[in-house]
Amino acid sequence: MLKPLEVLALYPPHRGTLGSMLASRTAVAPQREFVVFEDSVLTYSQVQDEVGRAAAMFAARGVRAGDRIGVMSTNHPSTVITLFALARLGAVMVPVNPDYRAAEAGYVLGHAQASGVLCSPETLPTVRDAIAALAPTPWLMLNRSGAQGLPVFATEVAGARGTAPADVETPDAPCVFVYTSGTTGFPKGVMHGQRTLLLAGEGFVQRMYLQSDDRLLCILPLFHINALFYSLAGALAAGATLILVPRFSASTFWREAARTRATEANTIAAVTNILMRRPRSEFVAGHRLCKIYGAPLTAETHQVFRDEFGVATLIEGYGMSEIPGALNNPFEGPHKIASMGRPSVHPDPNVQLAQLKIVDDEGRELPDGQTGELVVKTPLAMLGYYCDPQQTKAAFRDGWFLTGDLAWRDADGYFWFVARKKDIIRKRGENISGAELDRVVESHPDVLQAAAIAVPDALGEDEILIAVVTRSSARLTAQAVADWCRERLAAIKVPRYVAFVDALPQTPTHRVAKYQLRQDPTLRERAIDLGAGR
């Protein structure tokens, strides 16, 4: 196995653009598979040719440097080609969650001022509703056949006329907007340039010790920082193969992993938790999957994936849309299960990827063992929030990005997540982590999902309300939830209110949208008050 720097040294230097890195990898391995999707394969050489024709096609449609083009579809090779082609023109791809409703998609496309939208036949009705009120109205294109009267990406690219435009080579201008999940309200458009994307990919080579013969199974959506900056950019940086799956399917995951000969996959907690609880009859023993990246990963996750599923290495890390790839457990160890890891490093020791510290509310650095806000300084930091200089300024202090996450660092330099600052419940002068309550309640065998929030107390402080989704066959009571907490937590952390709900609101990245719970005026009214009459 080559060291990460040796992997990068296999290829000629690039110039900080997607086009130059693609050309670098193509020069060495033109016939190597780059993008695999269902039964189709695109080699590095074919992708490079497709990107040139797609750039010519977009240019003929009037796309210029700085223009924004929306993409609303499940994972598809056209998304990869479009990202590279727009970057070649100096334009920007704006990926949109394909599960968005019209109002949500309309907000993103309107805020980004998209001049065109590439979408799938399935999302076309939503896109049409979403752009109806936009002026000027963006043009539409389908990424595959499915509706009369609209151009289709493959046909348009094949019919492109003229010479492919030269790469404008603006590595530090925006090339992609990643809209945040909106945990505090309207999503913000996080702007990243090509250099950031490639640095993150090179960092992922280090994080997962990617080799040129690795095959990265991409089950997360390409509007997600993980899929774009780790799976796609990591595969490109290593000169490896990206296997696109339209969307995650728990029932077919192992079958697809075996069929595609995948060696690496990226996950989130929801994915690993689902797979652990699926029938073992779905597992395919002949797979080649040997490494998984995701977070958070529990001791149970490590045990099940290693001992039952035969995946030798699981690496946990931490990043945000604004600062991808900030922390990870070192590939060669030591691994500290459930930690965020140590500051991520680049294969080249002369490139510093991440500096981190824990600070108090005044920005003073705290010693090891004390909880405070995690702040990060990194060349991977976003260029800013699109059309929002005020929020951009508020996100940084003296060049350090304020994550809004509470954490602490141990004596070995590993960081440990505590909670979102806004997920802290203040009760009788004490800070209580909502995330901790979530984890404890979700450990109950009858609980599928839980979310703790603060609700006003008559004395002006906070009381704890826990919203609970039970498993279909469960007959759980509010008192049983409280008793479960009382056995595992200090008395002050036991929730007063328990609300049983059918589902919890989700962000596009599959986290609970607690701000929506806080804004629901009926939730407390529907909850069972275990403190009534006391």
Side-chain angles (χ1 to χ4, degrees):
M1 181 169 64
L2 297 179
K3 295 290 187 181
L5 188 56
E6 293 173 330
V7 172
L8 297 188
L10 294 172
Y11 310 102
H14 61 85
R15 298 182 300 279
T17 64
L18 286 163
S20 65
M21 184 179 270
L22 176 61
S24 165
R25 277 55 183 164
T26 303
V28 172
Q31 299 311 310
R32 184 178 297 154
E33 295 180 354
F34 181 17
V35 180
V36 175
F37 178 76
E38 296 177 341
D39 295 325
S40 67
V41 174
L42 290 171
T43 65
Y44 272 83
S45 178
Q46 289 170 327
V47 168
Q48 188 172 47
D49 290 344
E50 286 280 296
V51 167
R53 287 194 293 270
M57 180 271 292
F58 282 127
R61 297 187 73 87
V63 177
R64 299 291 181 265
D67 287 354
R68 278 79 57 196
I69 304 299
V71 175
M72 189 169 175
S73 169
T74 54
N75 289 350
H76 190 269
S78 61
T79 304
V80 177
I81 302 299
T82 295
L83 173 65
F84 281 77
L86 294 177
R88 187 165 182 163
L89 299 174
V92 179
M93 185 176 84
V94 183
V96 182
N97 185 346
D99 293 330
Y100 268 172
R101 304 292 187 185
E104 296 166 306
Y107 175 82
V108 170
L109 294 170
H111 183 268
Q113 299 166 298
S115 56
V117 181
L118 174 69
C119 66
S120 62
E122 293 81 6
T123 63
L124 178 60
T126 301
V127 171
R128 278 181 161 149
D129 289 344
I131 66 174
L134 301 183
T137 303
W139 50 259
L140 296 178
M141 183 181 295
L142 292 174
N143 62 5
R144 66 180 193 279
S145 300
Q148 295 293 327
L150 283 180
V152 177
F153 183 82
T155 304
E156 295 296 301
V157 169
R161 298 288 183 266
T163 305
D167 192 337
V168 299
E169 298 210 353
T170 51
D172 298 311
C175 74
V176 63
F177 290 177
V178 178
Y179 273 80
T180 60
S181 54
T183 53
T184 57
F186 286 116
K188 298 186 290 289
V190 177
M191 300 185 290
H192 280 290
Q194 297 180 64
R195 193 188 308 277
T196 307
L197 188 58
L198 300 187
L199 269 177
E202 290 170 347
F204 200 68
V205 172
Q206 173 74 42
R207 185 178 306 172
M208 299 305 294
Y209 269 53
L210 295 181
Q211 306 293 300
S212 60
D213 61 354
D214 266 321
R215 298 172 65 83
L216 284 69
L217 183 63
C218 184
I219 59 172
L220 299 178
L222 285 169
F223 66 83
H224 196 290
I225 200 84
N226 192 316
L228 282 171
F229 282 65
Y230 307 157
S231 295
L232 171 55
L236 174 66
T241 300
L242 179 73
I243 302 164
L244 285 179
V245 176
R247 61 168 71 237
F248 169 63
S249 166
S251 63
T252 63
F253 174 85
W254 294 111
R255 191 190 320 153
E256 280 299 289
R259 184 186 70 82
T260 59
R261 295 172 288 116
T263 60
E264 193 274 350
N266 290 1
T267 66
I268 56 176
V271 168
T272 51
N273 288 338
I274 289 170
L275 290 174
M276 286 193 296
R277 286 157 178 76
R278 295 291 298 181
R280 292 300 186 263
S281 59
E282 295 172 354
F283 177 69
V284 178
H287 72 81
R288 294 176 52 200
L289 203 60
C290 59
K291 41 192 177 182
I292 281 180
Y293 172 76
L297 300 175
T298 64
E300 181 192 13
T301 308
H302 278 264
Q303 184 270 316
V304 170
F305 273 80
R306 184 184 61 245
D307 298 343
E308 294 191 44
F309 296 153
V311 180
T313 304
L314 282 79
I315 298 296
E316 184 168 7
Y318 169 90
M320 300 173 65
S321 297
E322 294 89 341
I323 48 160
L327 286 158
N328 63 270
N329 272 269
F331 187 85
E332 294 186 303
H335 298 157
K336 291 197 177 186
I337 294 175
S339 81
M340 303 157 79
R342 303 180 68 177
S344 296
V345 297
H346 190 274
D348 184 346
N350 296 313
V351 178
Q352 187 171 34
L353 271 193
Q355 303 172 64
L356 298 100
K357 57 186 181 180
I358 304 294
V359 301
D360 62 17
D361 289 340
E362 282 70 48
R364 295 179 296 238
E365 187 167 6
L366 295 173
D368 290 347
Q370 288 194 23
T371 296
E373 182 174 6
L374 177 67
V375 297
V376 182
K377 182 180 286 187
T378 171
L380 298 178
M382 67 172 179
L383 301 172
Y385 296 119
Y386 182 62
C387 286
D388 201 338
Q390 184 176 354
Q391 288 288 341
T392 300
K393 182 179 179 181
F396 292 89
R397 181 194 292 133
D398 299 326
W400 292 81
F401 179 77
L402 310 176
T403 66
D405 285 338
L406 296 176
W408 60 279
R409 183 182 56 215
D410 68 20
D412 297 322
Y414 287 70
F415 289 76
W416 299 80
F417 180 80
V418 176
R420 291 289 295 169
K421 285 182 74 173
K422 293 181 180 178
D423 197 18
I424 289 296
I425 301 167
R426 186 77 173 171
K427 182 177 177 182
R428 295 204 294 274
E430 292 192 28
N431 289 332
I432 298 169
S433 164
E436 180 186 23
L437 284 166
D438 299 348
R439 289 193 296 270
V440 168
V441 176
E442 286 177 350
S443 69
H444 192 290
D446 289 339
V447 173
L448 190 63
Q449 199 170 28
I453 62 170
V455 292
D457 180 76
L459 298 177
E461 283 199 319
D462 292 339
E463 261 298 352
I464 302 169
L465 183 150
I466 187 99
V468 178
V469 181
T470 61
R471 299 188 183 278
S472 57
S473 59
R475 299 186 183 277
L476 192 64
T477 65
Q479 189 60 56
V481 172
D483 291 343
W484 182 267
C485 293
R486 192 171 287 107
E487 292 170 4
R488 291 160 177 80
L489 297 167
I492 197 171
K493 298 180 181 179
V494 176
R496 173 173 173 172
Y497 299 95
V498 179
F500 292 104
V501 296
D502 294 331
L504 293 172
Q506 302 285 312
T507 71
T509 50
H510 307 292
R511 295 182 177 89
V512 177
K514 287 194 175 183
Y515 80 95
Q516 292 187 29
L517 290 175
R518 296 186 191 104
Q519 292 174 350
D520 183 350
T522 71
L523 190 62
R524 180 168 170 175
E525 297 170 8
R526 291 182 282 137
I528 297 164
D529 182 0
L530 296 172
R534 284 198 264 173

